[in-house]
Amino acid sequence: MANSKQLPVGTVAAEPEPINLDWSVTALVIIDMQRDFMEPGGFGETLGNDVSQLARAVKPIASVLAAARDLGILVVHTREGHLPDLSDAPPAKIERGAPSLRIGDPGPMGRILIRGEAGHDIIPELYPLDSEVIIDKPGKGAFYATELGDILQKYGIENLLVCGVTTEVCVNTTVREANDRGYRCVVLADGCASYFPEFHEMGLKMIKAQGGIFGWVSDSAAVLQAMTPETSNILAAGASR
Ligand code: C5J
């Protein structure tokens, strides 16, 4: 079941080169914009991180999300987290390090990184519509132990616009999984963030290096321009595909 609407093709300015995206077969994938990563008292902060580093990604994602909704492209939100009985959380993940609270412990937003708790929810600014896909994932990659691959196949998706947190962990892992499955991934630089700015930079460099070994890197302004029918060029010279 491909997108029932015939949508235009847009040329996205990106590195290492521009890319033409047929919006009918493109999905916006927003990774883990959850309170547990974004707000004080959640999983991210228990690991000793400065969660304020991630706020910069919210506005760029919100603008692309609004445009994607207007255009009618498939929107997928992911959430990292575990079942209340922790049966899907490997001991190796729970036990490592010396966090102030471990996965499953009670915190100010409910149990840390547990499905159904307030901290596991997506931040209000990017809250999913009922019609949008939500993928609950136990790992860092959105394909591991989830139905994401089946859903993308059902909709005939070939390209992913990827954003969210954190750049070098769940965004990078998902892009690598998607690349191996044959998807063209375009990562929004300003729609991603890390607790470590240097990891953000390197995480993006790793994706676009070597002729785009894992995918393309663009930004919200370029994607918004390519989503606007009046300004998007169909199959512009120099763009791949
Ligand atoms: C992390 C994520 N950083 N969503 N998760 O543990 O990147």
Side-chain angles (χ1 to χ4, degrees):
M1 180 176 76
N3 197 319
S4 50
K5 279 196 269 176
Q6 189 56 43
L7 302 178
V9 175
T11 302
V12 179
E15 292 182 302
E17 61 186 2
I19 178 169
N20 289 314
L21 294 180
D22 175 349
W23 298 119
S24 308
V25 293
T26 300
L28 172 65
V29 180
I30 304 176
I31 304 284
D32 299 359
M33 292 300 288
Q34 298 162 253
R35 299 183 65 195
D36 252 322
F37 295 103
M38 305 293 299
E39 294 185 17
F43 179 63
E45 196 180 70
T46 69
L47 299 175
N49 295 310
D50 170 10
V51 295
S52 71
Q53 290 288 341
L54 304 190
R56 66 191 69 180
V58 175
K59 272 197 185 146
I61 298 175
S63 63
V64 172
L65 176 59
R69 285 172 174 165
D70 283 350
L71 197 55
I73 80 172
L74 181 71
V75 176
V76 177
H77 304 258
T78 73
R79 299 185 297 206
E80 180 180 347
H82 297 282
L83 296 168
D85 66 2
L86 296 177
S87 56
D88 62 350
K93 181 175 180 181
I94 299 174
E95 292 164 4
R96 79 182 54 176
S100 58
L101 293 170
R102 290 192 189 276
I103 295 169
D105 285 350
M109 293 190 285
R111 294 178 66 203
I112 299 291
L113 217 58
I114 297 297
R115 294 182 193 174
E117 301 287 347
H120 182 260
D121 215 351
I122 291 173
I123 58 171
E125 298 93 314
L126 303 175
Y127 212 75
L129 301 179
D130 287 345
S131 57
E132 292 170 350
V133 176
I134 300 177
I135 298 291
D136 280 319
K137 61 189 185 65
K140 305 303 182 194
F143 288 83
Y144 168 68
T146 74
E147 65 282 23
L148 179 59
D150 291 340
I151 290 173
L152 296 180
Q153 219 172 357
K154 186 175 97 176
Y155 283 93
I157 296 298
E158 298 175 9
N159 316 308
L160 306 181
L161 281 179
V162 187
C163 55
V165 297
T166 61
T167 316
E168 78 283 11
V169 183
C170 291
V171 171
N172 247 268
T173 306
T174 298
V175 166
R176 290 169 188 226
E177 288 181 329
N179 180 61
D180 279 349
R181 287 163 172 79
Y183 295 99
R184 299 178 195 89
C185 295
V186 180
V187 179
L188 306 186
D190 58 344
C192 296
S194 170
Y195 303 118
F196 307 93
E198 67 275 26
F199 291 176
H200 172 78
E201 290 305 320
M202 291 310 295
L204 296 174
K205 278 188 180 166
M206 286 179 195
I207 288 165
K208 68 186 178 188
Q210 303 177 74
I213 194 108
F214 295 122
W216 288 253
V217 175
S218 185
D219 60 27
S220 58
V223 167
L224 290 174
Q225 184 168 8
M227 278 182 173
T228 308
E230 305 85 63
T231 55
S232 63
N233 307 315
I234 295 183
L235 299 174
S240 63
R241 226 200 130 228

